[in-house]
Amino acid sequence: MSRLGATLIEWRGLVRSLVLYHGNRARHRAMDALHRRFLAPGDLAFDIGAHVGDRTSSFRRIGARVVAVEPQPGPMRLLRLVHGRDRDVTLVEAAVGAAEGTVELHVNSANPTVTTASGAFLAAARDADGWREQRWDRTLSVPMTSLDALIARHGLPAFVKIDVEGFEDAVLAGLSQPLPALSFEFTTIARDVAGRCLDRLADLGRYRFNLSLGEEQRLAFAEPVVAGAMRDHLAALPQRANSGDVYATLAATRP
């Protein structure tokens, strides 16, 4: 494929993401209501795997300051267009993992929202229903930072959103202190990643957990549950549930 053809595929994918994630006002209202459980005006939030910035936009509508981290050049160009002049948004073009360095991204040009740094995630997707049509067509070496490094540079966030397609456990491996609240994406093709995230958070503090399936933007449980109950719930989900976000709060705080 020519470079022009590859560029057109990439931009079609980005336009698709813009429409999907920025084009639904009802979804925005639901997202903002959910995030207000964890953030207040003036708080600091990290958006890890910011993609085209729908979560960053939600955090800003609430009045939070944001550090938005995205390793892909195409989405970062869009983030700069949307948020580059906002002094309360800091854009960081990097992946996030266990330590500072570099990492290889497996890029899905047609659907960049599922670009990943996890080879295990690619292997799980290869034979999974609903994933076989996805194509990771090129690789890209990018800088990698860590949550500890971001905290040292920007301060302790009130909330961190992590959505990095099967690399969430690596992100949490780079965190050495408890945070007031965070979310991490899970997928039913890589439930072991969610299990390692739960284990890491249990090592860091007395967390309680809730979840939101897919893009529902609402919490499933009336009250947060302990890690074991969340692990059992995720294990029992049918494969077709596909994905969602686990929300974690320290026991001293309540969503």
Side-chain angles (χ1 to χ4, degrees), residues 163-187:
D163 183 348
V164 289
E165 306 306 313
F167 207 59
E168 289 79 8
D169 55 340
V171 174
L172 288 176
L175 176 67
S176 62
Q177 62 182 299
L179 301 175
L182 61 91
S183 70
F184 63 86
E185 188 190 38
F186 73 89
T187 61

Side-chain angles (χ1 to χ4, degrees), residues 69-87:
V69 189
E70 171 56 47
Q72 298 183 77
M76 180 53 72
R77 285 193 288 271
L78 292 179
L79 285 169
R80 290 192 179 105
L81 285 173
V82 175
H83 295 291
R85 296 184 179 182
D86 187 340
R87 285 182 287 184

Side-chain angles (χ1 to χ4, degrees), residues 79-145:
L79 285 169
R80 290 192 179 105
L81 285 173
V82 175
H83 295 291
R85 296 184 179 182
D86 187 340
R87 285 182 287 184
D88 285 322
V89 176
T90 300
L91 300 176
V92 179
E93 188 170 348
V96 181
E100 293 186 292
T102 60
V103 70
E104 187 173 76
L105 287 182
H106 304 274
V107 178
N108 188 319
S109 298
N111 189 15
T113 188
V114 295
T115 289
T116 180
S118 171
F121 183 82
L122 291 186
R126 189 171 296 122
D127 297 317
D129 290 344
W131 289 90
R132 293 189 188 94
E133 70 278 8
Q134 298 296 328
R135 295 290 179 268
W136 289 267
D137 52 315
R138 61 190 178 97
T139 58
L140 182 66
S141 182
V142 300
M144 184 169 69
T145 186

